Amino acid sequence: MIEAILAGIPLGIFLSFLIGPVFFVLLETSAVKGFRAAMVFDFGVVLADVLFIAIAYFSSYRLILGIKNDPAIFIFGGIIMLTYGIISFLKLKKVSKKVDEIPIEELIKKDYLGLFLKGFLLNFINVGVLLFWFLVLITIGPRLELVTFKMIIFFSTVLLTYLIVDIGKVLLAKQLRSKMTPTNILKIKKVISVLLLVFGLALMFQGFFPSEQKLVKRALEKIE
């Protein structure tokens, strides 16, 4: 049990600082909408991770291999993220023309269900996250003898550590709220939209050039 906890803590810290769309959107949500909104978003992200962990744990390696070998999944996820980024940017560009007329309450309105779904979908459409958890499983699993109780403790420790570190990130980002004028909010949202465009293109790139997934292939071959 202690071994599972000690193995999970560093991975949770690493996961929290892994640079990706979730990282930036979490900080933006905290700075613009506050602590509670950011944590609701983060819980959606964690739910997607839990689902991916369950898929990696209970499915056969052939299912993971099939996903890995289907570039359409990466391309589809990339298109969704890219489309979301484009639509968001165009909406913000339209809004910026009349930014002085918009009350700040309108820009920071909180739709908790929407934020939860946004966190879940933003993580879930990135099939690379599933491959990440599968690699974690085949790396750590043998060390924990694939004992179900130990595996539950390990993954629970990873996700709990991830959440605790994220709380610290959210609290730090929240300090920027005093500077959140309508103009600054729009600037931040535009930057996040552009980042989503970049990450969407990167995800599509993995689909067009699947050779980047050689590490997963070698790991799967070892299991065979």
Side-chain angles (χ1 to χ4, degrees):
M1 179 174 172
I2 298 299
E3 182 183 2
I5 293 174
L6 293 178
I9 292 175
L11 184 60
I13 295 173
F14 167 78
L15 191 62
S16 184
F17 287 100
L18 199 62
I19 301 299
V22 168
F23 179 89
F24 292 106
V25 175
L26 176 67
L27 297 183
E28 178 253 345
T29 303
S30 177
V32 175
K33 299 186 177 183
F35 178 83
R36 188 178 300 176
M39 292 313 300
V40 169
F41 170 83
D42 213 22
F43 287 139
V45 173
V46 170
L47 178 61
D49 279 324
V50 170
L51 185 57
F52 276 145
I53 291 170
I55 292 172
Y57 186 78
F58 291 109
S59 66
S60 69
Y61 73 91
R62 285 187 174 81
L63 173 61
I64 307 296
L65 182 60
I67 293 173
K68 195 281 301 183
N69 283 335
D70 188 358
I73 295 178
F74 288 92
I75 296 171
F76 179 70
I79 289 174
I80 293 177
M81 195 176 296
L82 184 67
T83 302
Y84 182 81
I86 291 173
I87 293 174
S88 297
F89 186 82
L90 292 177
K91 282 184 177 179
L92 291 169
K93 191 173 181 180
K94 183 178 179 180
V95 169
S96 62
K97 296 178 180 178
K98 51 182 180 178
V99 62
D100 296 329
E101 304 172 14
I102 303 174
I104 193 168
E105 291 78 10
E106 181 68 20
L107 291 174
I108 63 174
K109 62 182 179 181
K110 304 166 186 176
D111 174 10
Y112 290 119
L113 177 59
L115 285 167
F116 181 83
L117 292 175
K118 182 179 180 180
F120 176 82
L121 293 174
L122 199 58
N123 201 23
F124 189 74
I125 62 175
N126 187 356
V127 71
V129 178
L130 172 59
L131 299 177
F132 167 80
W133 284 119
F134 185 75
L135 285 174
V136 170
L137 180 65
I138 63 176
T139 302
I140 300 296
R143 286 175 51 188
L144 301 178
E145 301 172 334
L146 289 175
V147 176
T148 301
F149 176 72
K150 290 182 179 180
M151 298 299 292
I152 291 174
I153 293 296
F154 168 73
F155 284 116
S156 298
T157 302
V158 172
L159 295 178
L160 182 60
T161 303
Y162 171 82
L163 278 173
I164 291 173
V165 176
D166 268 7
I167 288 173
K169 285 160 39 183
V170 166
L171 290 174
L172 288 174
K174 186 182 174 184
Q175 304 306 312
L176 298 174
R177 289 201 75 189
S178 60
K179 302 182 185 300
M180 290 298 103
T181 63
T183 300
N184 288 339
I185 290 174
L186 284 175
K187 286 180 179 178
I188 292 174
K189 286 180 174 290
K190 281 184 178 179
V191 170
I192 296 300
S193 297
V194 172
L195 287 173
L196 288 176
L197 288 171
V198 173
F199 286 118
L201 289 171
L203 196 57
M204 291 174 66
F205 181 84
Q206 292 182 64
F208 288 121
F209 301 96
S211 60
E212 296 294 322
Q213 309 301 324
K214 287 181 179 178
L215 176 61
V216 178
K217 184 177 180 180
R218 287 198 297 268
L220 291 168
E221 287 172 348
K222 287 182 180 179
I223 294 181
E224 282 186 292

